[in-house]
Amino acid sequence: MKKIILLMAVITGFGMQAQNDTNPGIHVTGEGVVKVAPDKVTIKSQIEHEGQSATSVKSQNDEVVNKVIKYLKSEGIAEKNINTNYINLNKRYNYNDKTYTYVANQAISITLEDISKYESIMKGLLENGLNGINGIEFESSAIKKHKAEARRKAVLNAKEKAEALAKPLGQTVGKAYKISEGSSNNYQPVYGAMRIKGSADEASNQETMAPGEMEISIDVDVSFQLLME
């Protein structure tokens, strides 16, 4: 008896699925966009030295890295926001004079949770020996909340599109019977790599920034029932 009931339930389920698949429907993609001012910035920095001795350039790099990390901690930057991305020591060949030099470099990502500290922290980094910027990225600490709002807007946009398509045909939009989330993107201002030349004051003046706005977008695919008016 149990087997018969189970078989009937399975058949009924297939029947309902087939009905949903053949029901007149309207399928649209909705987009939700939220623009927010970033409140965090990540500085992707690099410390590099080149010379005739591998030991010497490695020692120079280590000394600057130590100074930079001590400076950041003295400014209240949490240890979790100071991350080493890579450490390299390479031999470089000069084809002109057929000689070798050694290059030591280390990349450090520094996240500032108070974006207003950017200018002063950048100046301090340069004064303590940092000599390269690989990029600057802006972020939002409330990204989950903003994505939820973008998702809500996307669903409402899908319904608006569906109604606009159905109205000229003398039809109305019923309940949604299928919803899936598509792409999700965070477009944020990003500053590219640069080499630091000249004094710390000169370099810091070159690196003034305007965070602008981040754009958070989400797409959803929605299928609605299509009803006669």
Side-chain angles (χ1 to χ4, degrees):
M1 186 66 181
K2 287 183 179 179
K3 289 182 179 179
I4 294 172
I5 293 172
L6 179 60
L7 181 60
M8 289 177 65
V10 171
I11 293 172
T12 303
F14 278 126
M16 291 178 65
Q17 179 64 42
Q19 185 178 2
N20 281 340
D21 289 341
T22 57
N23 272 348
I26 184 167
H27 315 287
V28 293
T29 298
E31 182 184 22
V33 177
V34 174
K35 293 184 179 181
V36 297
D39 56 7
K40 296 167 63 178
V41 59
T42 296
I43 303 167
K44 296 185 176 182
S45 67
Q46 181 174 284
I47 298 157
E48 181 176 294
H49 289 89
E50 183 174 0
Q52 302 299 318
S53 165
T55 303
S56 175
V57 294
K58 180 65 168 64
S59 178
Q60 289 177 63
N61 243 47
D62 289 346
E63 183 179 346
V64 173
V65 170
N66 185 51
K67 285 175 64 179
V68 164
I69 291 175
K70 282 184 176 179
Y71 163 72
L72 290 169
K73 288 182 177 179
S74 73
E75 291 294 316
I77 308 302
E79 194 168 339
K80 68 182 177 71
N81 290 335
I82 307 170
N83 299 293
T84 296
N85 300 122
Y86 62 79
I87 300 173
N88 290 329
L89 178 61
N90 298 312
K91 198 173 185 179
R92 181 177 292 171
Y93 182 69
N94 187 322
Y95 289 93
N96 293 325
D97 55 16
K98 295 181 173 50
T99 59
Y100 287 97
T101 57
Y102 293 90
V103 181
N105 54 56
Q106 181 166 337
I108 301 175
S109 290
I110 304 148
T111 299
L112 306 181
E113 295 185 355
D114 181 355
I115 204 168
S116 67
K117 289 184 175 181
Y118 171 83
E119 298 291 353
S120 62
I121 292 293
M122 180 61 77
K123 184 177 179 180
L125 289 171
L126 301 175
E127 289 173 344
N128 281 278
L130 183 142
N131 56 9
I133 302 295
N134 291 333
I136 298 170
E137 295 181 3
F138 296 94
E139 306 168 64
S140 170
S141 58
I143 193 69
K144 287 185 179 180
K145 182 184 78 172
H146 298 315
K147 279 189 173 182
E149 175 62 12
R151 194 173 288 114
R152 186 187 72 84
K153 286 187 173 184
V155 171
L156 293 177
N157 178 246
K159 185 177 181 182
E160 183 181 347
K161 282 184 178 180
E163 289 172 344
L165 289 169
K167 188 173 182 180
L169 302 174
Q171 294 177 290
T172 59
V173 173
K175 292 182 179 180
Y177 60 87
K178 185 176 181 181
I179 303 174
S180 62
E181 186 170 321
S183 62
S184 172
N185 296 296
N186 301 334
Y187 300 103
Q188 55 187 330
V190 179
Y191 290 77
M194 66 172 287
R195 296 295 303 157
I196 305 300
K197 297 179 181 179
S199 68
D201 285 334
E202 290 172 344
S204 62
N205 288 336
Q206 293 171 0
E207 273 297 287
T208 54
M209 57 133 188
E213 289 184 326
M214 293 176 57
E215 185 176 288
I216 300 161
S217 69
I218 288 180
D219 292 341
V220 294
D221 297 314
V222 187
S223 297
F224 295 94
Q225 292 175 339
L226 198 55
L227 310 174
M228 295 295 295
E229 287 186 344

